[in-house]
Amino acid sequence: MEFIIFDLEWNSVKKPDDGKFINEIIEIGAVLLNEQLQETDSFSALIRPSISEKLNSYVKSLTHIQEEQLKNQPDFLTVIQTFKRWANRKNCVFLSWSNTDLHVLAENYDCFLHQHKVDFIRQYADLQKYVSLFLKTENNNQVALGAAAEQLGVDTRQFALHRALDDSRLCAALLRQTYQKKRFKPYISNVLAGTFYERLLFKPYYITDPDSPLLDKKIFMPRCPQCGKKLQRTGKIRQNNALLQANYRCEKCDAAYRLRVKCKKTYDTIDIKRNLALRRPKAVVSEQPGDAVGS
Ligand SMILES: [Zn+2]
């Protein structure tokens, strides 16, 4: 088995046709590692952007890539063909630091080649997820490449961070530092099969329609935190930005509450966050039971 670790630099731009944002790739870098994780080849190419020649100042300061450097470079379609020829190998696992890079590659494939599956990547592993096994991370936060290197005692001074080839090389150093065949294996996905890309490209969204069939009506039936009785709703369930909210009261405790619910749809779950808070006594006095109460 061989490994290709790739890294991309991109510029976020608005597409003229539909006004949606896309992360337009401006650089691809990659290293090829053999079974012993030694670097046997590398790939590095700058790309002349097709959508916008102007780079965001953030991108320029992060990567130190200037617009003038990209002017005479080949475009995405040309570079991706060259990369594909270089990277098209049997029994090779592709890796990147978080699956964002694969997501961006798929997004550019979709935009410029009108297909969202990156056809030459058959096996993929998220290196950030794997390396996290060896880090002391809080709350499963996604760790930046430089921070992970520091924790693992890898000296980053020899790498130009935020440039595609050097980031790939730094990733390779982290893989060498942590690689255990048995522990790594479960992180490899067969990406062309099943629903891998559907999951990768799914955009989570908030459900803001209280009548959505995706929602269990019970989430709007809270109990009184004091006496445990079911609260009575005193107004409509209304949308407030990403939230759904409604007012309630408990007759027994003579208390008024506001329930706020955030319902996030991901590919296969609906994450519900509920917050029930006591309303100020002033609001209780002015409120008539059964009326819709303004906020
Ligand atoms: Zn009560």
Side-chain angles (χ1 to χ4, degrees):
M1 183 188 282
E2 289 179 302
F3 304 86
I4 285 177
I5 304 181
F6 69 98
D7 186 82
L8 312 170
E9 304 304 329
W10 58 76
N11 186 42
S12 179
V13 290
K14 226 179 204 177
K15 284 191 282 178
D17 52 344
D18 58 9
K20 286 183 182 160
F21 277 92
I22 180 173
N23 294 313
E24 190 173 23
I25 299 172
I26 54 170
E27 187 178 42
I28 301 179
V31 287
L32 175 68
L33 309 181
N34 63 15
E35 188 106 46
Q36 289 73 43
L37 305 180
Q38 294 155 330
E39 185 179 321
T40 53
D41 203 356
S42 65
F43 182 95
S44 176
L46 287 169
I47 296 172
R48 172 170 47 82
S50 305
I51 299 173
S52 169
E53 285 181 9
K54 198 177 168 352
L55 300 180
N56 301 323
S57 51
Y58 167 76
V59 175
K60 282 192 277 193
S61 67
L62 194 72
T63 63
H64 302 293
I65 297 174
Q66 302 299 323
E67 279 111 353
E68 301 77 56
Q69 282 173 269
L70 301 180
K71 269 188 182 151
N72 298 314
Q73 302 297 333
D75 64 5
F76 177 77
L77 286 176
T78 310
V79 172
I80 203 67
Q81 290 311 321
T82 317
F83 183 57
K84 192 170 158 174
R85 273 197 300 278
W86 180 83
N88 207 351
R89 315 177 76 86
K90 273 184 192 159
N91 199 16
C92 177
V93 180
F94 285 76
L95 299 107
S96 60
W97 189 258
S98 102
N99 63 16
T100 307
D101 287 71
L102 184 57
H103 188 287
V104 170
L105 187 55
E107 202 179 45
N108 279 252
Y109 243 66
D110 192 26
C111 180
F112 298 114
L113 285 108
H114 308 291
Q115 64 176 82
H116 64 265
K117 287 189 180 180
V118 182
D119 46 9
F120 60 92
I121 296 183
R122 297 177 194 91
Q123 299 184 87
Y124 173 79
D126 180 343
L127 184 64
Q128 187 187 49
K129 263 197 187 144
Y130 172 70
V131 168
S132 295
L133 283 177
F134 304 87
L135 302 175
K136 301 175 243 65
T137 50
E138 284 169 32
N139 316 325
N140 258 343
N141 276 342
Q142 299 213 319
V143 187
L145 182 58
E150 200 170 301
Q151 274 202 47
L152 292 168
V154 174
D155 188 0
T156 58
R157 280 174 300 182
Q158 51 178 316
F159 303 100
L161 293 183
H162 304 297
R163 284 305 295 267
L165 180 57
D166 272 32
D167 277 359
S168 306
R169 287 204 166 117
L170 180 54
C171 283
L174 299 196
L175 184 64
R176 275 181 216 113
Q177 196 84 341
T178 55
Y179 188 68
Q180 293 167 22
K181 202 172 180 178
K182 273 192 185 155
R183 288 182 88 176
F184 180 72
K185 210 179 164 201
Y187 287 83
I188 305 172
S189 304
N190 284 311
V191 292
L192 294 180
T195 56
F196 183 89
Y197 275 102
E198 283 71 17
R199 275 168 200 279
L200 181 70
L201 298 172
F202 184 84
K203 286 196 175 79
Y205 63 89
Y206 289 106
I207 302 169
T208 53
D209 172 11
D211 297 320
S212 167
L214 294 172
L215 295 180
D216 181 349
K217 294 289 169 279
K218 281 190 185 138
I219 62 175
F220 300 113
M221 297 175 189
R223 288 183 177 274
C224 175
Q226 294 174 65
C227 71
K229 271 184 69 173
K230 260 188 193 161
L231 293 176
Q232 283 178 295
R233 186 150 57 81
T234 57
K236 280 186 181 166
I237 303 167
R238 291 175 307 138
Q239 181 193 344
N240 177 3
N241 295 318
L243 297 166
L244 288 168
Q245 68 174 50
N247 294 332
Y248 295 82
R249 61 177 289 114
C250 178
E251 294 295 342
K252 200 178 158 202
C253 304
D254 190 25
Y257 293 94
R258 173 168 297 154
L259 177 70
R260 288 192 163 106
V261 190
K262 218 175 203 181
C263 312
K264 191 181 186 184
K265 177 76 181 89
T266 66
Y267 185 80
D268 33 29
T269 62
I270 298 170
D271 296 335
I272 308 279
K273 284 204 177 80
R274 298 207 304 171
N275 177 277
L276 185 69
L278 207 53
R279 295 178 65 210
R280 278 168 289 148
K282 198 179 150 198
V284 179
V285 174
S286 65
E287 181 186 330
Q288 292 300 311
D291 279 1
V293 177
S295 47

XYZ file of all heavy atoms in Angstrom, residues 2 48 124 130 155 175 187 250 287:
87
model
N 0.451 2.241 -0.816
C 1.132 3.537 -0.836
C 0.182 4.611 -0.287
O -1.019 4.360 -0.118
C 1.524 3.906 -2.272
C 2.645 3.057 -2.839
C 2.963 3.459 -4.255
O 2.054 3.409 -5.120
O 4.117 3.818 -4.521
N -4.067 29.001 -12.180
C -4.643 30.301 -12.526
C -6.153 30.224 -12.311
O -6.828 29.388 -12.902
C -4.345 30.638 -13.990
C -5.061 31.888 -14.494
C -4.532 32.315 -15.860
N -4.430 31.203 -16.801
C -5.456 30.723 -17.509
N -6.653 31.242 -17.385
N -5.279 29.712 -18.329
N -9.753 6.804 0.952
C -9.439 8.088 1.578
C -9.453 7.941 3.101
O -10.274 7.214 3.668
C -10.459 9.156 1.153
C -10.278 10.457 1.911
C -9.288 11.365 1.557
C -11.073 10.747 3.024
C -9.087 12.532 2.273
C -10.880 11.913 3.752
C -9.885 12.798 3.368
O -9.682 13.945 4.090
N -7.469 10.743 12.468
C -6.586 9.694 12.948
C -5.575 10.245 13.949
O -5.410 9.701 15.044
C -5.873 9.011 11.768
C -4.801 8.055 12.230
C -5.147 6.859 12.867
C -3.447 8.358 12.078
C -4.166 6.005 13.337
C -2.470 7.507 12.542
C -2.830 6.330 13.174
O -1.866 5.480 13.642
N 9.069 19.423 14.628
C 9.575 20.781 14.413
C 9.014 21.332 13.099
O 9.228 20.761 12.041
C 11.111 20.732 14.355
C 11.709 22.127 14.326
O 10.950 23.122 14.354
O 12.946 22.218 14.262
N 2.113 11.671 10.190
C 1.723 10.278 9.954
C 2.845 9.344 10.413
O 2.591 8.342 11.089
C 1.389 10.054 8.471
C 0.882 8.652 8.108
C -0.449 8.339 8.787
C 0.738 8.488 6.593
N -9.761 3.914 9.597
C -9.983 5.284 9.106
C -10.043 5.368 7.583
O -10.322 6.420 7.019
C -8.895 6.226 9.658
C -9.102 6.493 11.123
C -8.631 5.599 12.089
C -9.837 7.596 11.549
C -8.869 5.808 13.438
C -10.079 7.819 12.889
C -9.590 6.924 13.827
O -9.843 7.134 15.163
N -47.037 27.626 33.844
C -47.485 26.576 34.749
C -48.484 27.222 35.709
O -48.117 28.148 36.445
C -46.307 25.982 35.528
S -46.841 24.717 36.713
N -49.572 39.218 31.135
C -49.968 38.163 30.193
C -51.345 37.583 30.538
O -51.639 37.304 31.693
C -48.908 37.069 30.240
C -49.152 35.930 29.319
C -48.120 34.832 29.545
O -46.986 35.175 29.934
O -48.459 33.679 29.377
